[in-house]
Amino acid sequence: MRKGTKKVLALTVVLFSVIALTACDGQGVNTQVKNTAAPNVPITYLGTLHVYNAGEYIDRETLRDFEQEYKIRVEYSEFDSNEDLYDDVVKNPGAYDVLVPSDYTVDRLIKEGRLAKLDKDSIPNIAHIAPEYLNPAYDPDTAYTVPYMVGTLGILYNRRQITSTVDSWSVLLDTRYTGKTLMLDSQRDAIGLALKMLGFSMNSNDAAELALAKDKLKQARSIAYAFIESEEIRDRIVAGESALGVVYSGDGKMAVDRNPDLAYVIPAEGSNKWVDGFVIMKDTPHMEAALKFINFMCRPSIAVRNMSAIGYTSPVQGAWSEFGGNKIMFPTQEELDRCEAFLYDAQAAINYYMLWTEVRR
């Protein structure tokens, strides 16, 4: 799942620029969005919305356009990981209105009663979202979440430096690449890929299976140059400083676009297919603004701009034709059938934390 890597920051989007983009919603409908506001023109804001999203995970100009259209100030903050997001919203109730967590964190927030049910009549653009991304197991009526971006977890590697076939998570344990491998510094993803490497479910809470996964991760640690974030892994491999590493699909796409010697693969054992979605905190005082924001982000033209900026795949169907069936953005059904979503289990979360603490110390 996609998790941000930048330190948390808050900013108010107050500048505007001229943006024009024409897209099609997949049904021959023109979805032109044009911002004709002059730069630095002051706005008399009618309200404020606090949005909490992962780092490098939106086209900032779309925030400016939303402000211009609705006269709602966006206080935009970024988080490092789903775990950081969760800790923050628990410690600081009322600090945020709209969050963009991953599926297993949405699952947890729903189970703990922290989210507001959505008035879907106020989000008509949800009709643009592909049906396969609606009604997930953790939110069967799409009552609490609207999908924002989807993707996979995989291996990015340099085909000139890695001469062997890369089709398995076990390449992370290959001693030939000691010091040339980068591991993802993400508790859930690292444990999940180790479980998949062993042929187990990424959601396993079996003690024996977790013990084996811990051993694999300790082996990987002895080989890896570092445990770091996906964007940094991407940039180091693009620059030729490392040969392979674990990244999210959006970073894989951006890397391959920048360096034709690179490739991204979903290992044969399978991986994580994730969905990050918009949710609204329960008892928000800015419900109307939150619903407007989510509906705005579901416009096909806005989805195109966000996909172009960050390399990930929007579930908004009308945006897909702009990307020519990119194989990283749009895996085959066979590849997706090998993957699974992360789900939340309270006891498993404790066990994962303990396992990860042992691996990383």
Side-chain angles (χ1 to χ4, degrees):
M1 66 215 60
R2 175 66 168 89
K3 292 181 281 295
T5 63
K6 290 188 175 180
K7 295 299 179 184
V8 177
L9 65 138
L11 60 93
T12 302
V13 181
V14 294
L15 301 178
F16 305 97
S17 60
V18 178
I19 299 173
L21 178 64
T22 300
C24 179
D25 69 0
Q27 299 176 327
V29 179
N30 186 297
T31 56
Q32 187 175 45
V33 168
K34 189 175 182 180
N35 180 6
T36 57
N40 303 315
V41 173
I43 297 175
T44 300
Y45 291 107
L46 304 177
T48 299
L49 185 69
H50 300 271
V51 178
Y52 202 17
N53 194 6
E56 296 187 18
Y57 209 31
I58 203 166
D59 176 355
R60 293 297 183 89
E61 296 296 332
T62 65
L63 300 178
R64 297 179 177 120
D65 289 348
F66 173 81
E67 287 191 320
Q68 173 67 21
E69 182 170 338
Y70 290 101
K71 306 301 185 286
I72 296 171
R73 183 192 303 273
V74 177
E75 295 280 359
Y76 187 79
S77 302
E78 296 177 345
F79 57 82
D80 283 345
S81 70
N82 277 273
E83 289 71 28
D84 289 339
L85 173 148
Y86 178 82
D87 289 343
D88 198 359
V89 298
V90 170
K91 292 175 182 176
N92 300 290
Y96 308 103
D97 302 304
V98 177
L99 311 177
V100 191
S102 297
D103 33 30
Y104 71 99
T105 302
V106 175
D107 189 11
R108 180 175 191 176
L109 293 169
I110 291 173
K111 288 175 177 175
E112 294 179 353
R114 300 183 187 276
L115 302 181
K117 281 196 172 183
L118 303 175
D119 174 11
K120 283 180 278 189
D121 288 340
S122 298
I123 314 174
N125 286 333
I126 198 172
H128 293 298
I129 293 177
E132 58 264 34
Y133 295 111
L134 299 173
N135 308 311
Y138 52 86
D139 187 15
D141 297 319
T142 313
Y144 295 95
T145 183
V146 174
Y148 170 56
M149 289 287 162
V150 302
T152 60
L153 180 72
I155 297 172
L156 176 69
Y157 66 100
N158 189 311
R159 292 177 292 185
R160 291 184 179 272
Q161 297 183 46
I162 305 297
T163 57
S164 57
T165 301
V166 178
D167 60 2
S168 169
W169 291 116
S170 61
V171 71
L172 301 173
L173 308 181
D174 193 327
T175 55
R176 289 178 295 174
Y177 308 124
T178 299
K180 299 179 181 179
T181 299
L182 297 170
M183 280 292 293
L184 186 61
D185 189 13
S186 166
Q187 171 187 303
R188 193 68 195 268
D189 294 301
I191 295 171
L193 73 84
L195 287 166
K196 272 295 188 187
M197 187 191 306
L198 292 159
F200 306 135
S201 167
M202 296 185 108
N203 293 297
S204 175
N205 191 32
D206 180 87
E209 293 177 358
L210 290 177
L212 291 172
K214 180 175 67 177
D215 290 342
K216 293 295 185 184
L217 288 175
K218 286 184 174 181
Q219 290 180 50
R221 184 178 181 182
S222 70
I223 290 167
Y225 176 76
F227 275 66
I228 54 178
E229 306 294 345
S230 183
E231 287 93 339
E232 189 175 354
I233 293 173
R234 173 199 69 199
D235 293 344
R236 289 192 183 190
I237 295 177
V238 167
E241 297 171 4
S242 296
L244 77 158
V246 179
V247 299
Y248 304 116
S249 54
D251 289 318
K253 177 189 179 296
M254 293 179 71
V256 172
D257 287 346
R258 296 174 186 175
N259 185 339
D261 290 334
L262 306 184
Y264 173 87
V265 63
I266 299 172
E269 300 97 333
S271 186
N272 172 227
K273 56 181 178 183
W274 49 261
V275 179
D276 293 345
F278 295 109
V279 298
I280 300 175
M281 294 301 294
K282 190 176 183 179
D283 301 325
T284 174
H286 308 123
M287 178 61 74
E288 183 178 355
L291 291 167
K292 289 180 184 296
F293 180 81
I294 294 172
N295 193 56
F296 180 85
M297 288 296 164
C298 289
R299 292 179 185 176
S301 56
I302 298 301
V304 167
R305 290 165 60 183
N306 283 324
M307 289 175 71
S308 299
I310 67 176
Y312 289 88
T313 306
S314 168
V316 174
Q317 289 176 297
W320 293 353
S321 62
E322 298 289 325
F323 299 91
N326 183 280
K327 293 181 179 180
I328 299 177
M329 301 180 85
F330 304 99
T332 66
Q333 190 59 52
E334 188 275 332
E335 288 175 313
L336 291 176
D337 287 344
R338 302 199 306 265
C339 298
E340 60 183 308
F342 285 138
L343 299 175
Y344 174 73
D345 177 86
Q347 186 57 53
I350 295 171
N351 293 337
Y352 295 159
Y353 174 79
M354 294 174 63
L355 187 161
W356 188 240
T357 300
E358 288 190 48
V359 169
R360 295 294 282 120
R361 67 184 176 190

